[in-house]
Amino acid sequence: EDAKGPFAICLRAPEWSPKVTVDINGETLPQTEAKDGWVTLNRAWKAGDTIHYTMDLAPRVLPGDHLNAGHAAVAYGPLILTLDAGLNPSPIEAFTLTTPLNLHLTTGEIERPLFTTPARLNKDGKSDSVDLTLTPFYACGQDGSAFTVWIKTP
């Protein structure tokens, strides 16, 4: 049954998503602005109306401060990613994150999302370009390996 008059539907627009898009019944809204973390859709709704809501999961570099100065964390949407020694050559302290971040979601034999990004491996007085493998914090250290959220920056 159709509602009597217009009413609002509010969709959460998290801070970590720089862009959200909304389609109503297959038509993209021309401009979707979040106010105070919410996108408000105010209209007269009908039975069968559909909403398709998309959030951008752009990767972000979060600079460290205080005890983490000179380091950065990497986030992908709501996920904090970790540098896991079980997925990378060790020691993990020898890696330096390169910017701009060029993060790619990869799939592998391991049943967890993996991300790769270029980095520098500084070992034995040499600095080599490598692909760094990152995994979400919830999945790190599964094999008992060491891991860190804070990666050195240049």
Side-chain angles (χ1 to χ4, degrees), residues 16-114:
W16 49 258
S17 182
K19 179 182 176 191
V20 296
T21 54
V22 179
D23 294 353
I24 299 176
N25 299 327
E27 292 185 30
T28 302
L29 296 184
Q31 221 176 20
T32 308
E33 285 193 36
K35 183 175 181 183
D36 297 326
W38 296 92
V39 172
T40 302
L41 308 175
N42 197 354
R43 60 181 273 157
W45 298 94
K46 298 183 289 254
D49 281 348
T50 59
I51 300 170
H52 184 177
Y53 185 56
T54 306
M55 291 182 262
D56 185 6
L57 299 176
R60 302 175 321 283
V61 174
L62 309 171
D65 57 10
H66 306 293
L67 295 176
N68 295 311
H71 294 73
V74 178
Y76 179 76
L79 301 175
I80 297 297
L81 304 181
T82 59
L83 172 56
D84 188 324
L87 301 170
N88 295 282
S90 9
I92 57 176
E93 299 80 21
F95 288 98
T96 301
L97 193 62
T98 58
T99 52
L101 194 61
N102 189 11
L103 197 65
H104 297 282
L105 177 61
T106 62
T107 55
E109 296 174 15
I110 302 173
E111 293 184 9
R112 58 181 155 171
L114 300 175

